[in-house]
Amino acid sequence: MSTAKKLLVKIGAGSSLVAVSASSFAADYTAQIGAAATEANANLTAVILGVVALAALGFGVGRLLGWFK
């Protein structure tokens, strides 16, 4: 076997090893990304509800102060 063929065999084996390990890393992070997205959606919902509650409270206080005048 020539030196060039030996080198190509080594490169092929190394690249297949890298491809296998890269796909296993992607599978590991998929669950974590999904959990992070779920948590982010929950946080966004909490922030939106907080802003709406503060706006309603501010509007209510404004109406009460207007009624006292």
Side-chain angles (χ1 to χ4, degrees):
M1 186 179 265
S2 70
T3 307
K5 284 186 179 182
K6 287 180 185 178
L7 181 62
L8 287 175
V9 168
K10 287 182 182 179
I11 290 173
S15 64
S16 65
L17 178 63
V18 169
V20 169
S21 64
S23 66
S24 66
F25 285 134
D28 290 342
Y29 290 123
T30 302
Q32 293 172 346
I33 290 171
T38 302
E39 189 173 337
N41 286 335
N43 288 340
L44 181 63
T45 301
V47 168
I48 290 171
L49 289 176
V51 168
V52 168
L54 284 175
L57 185 63
F59 178 75
V61 168
R63 292 288 283 180
L64 282 175
L65 291 176
W67 183 64
F68 287 139
K69 288 184 180 179

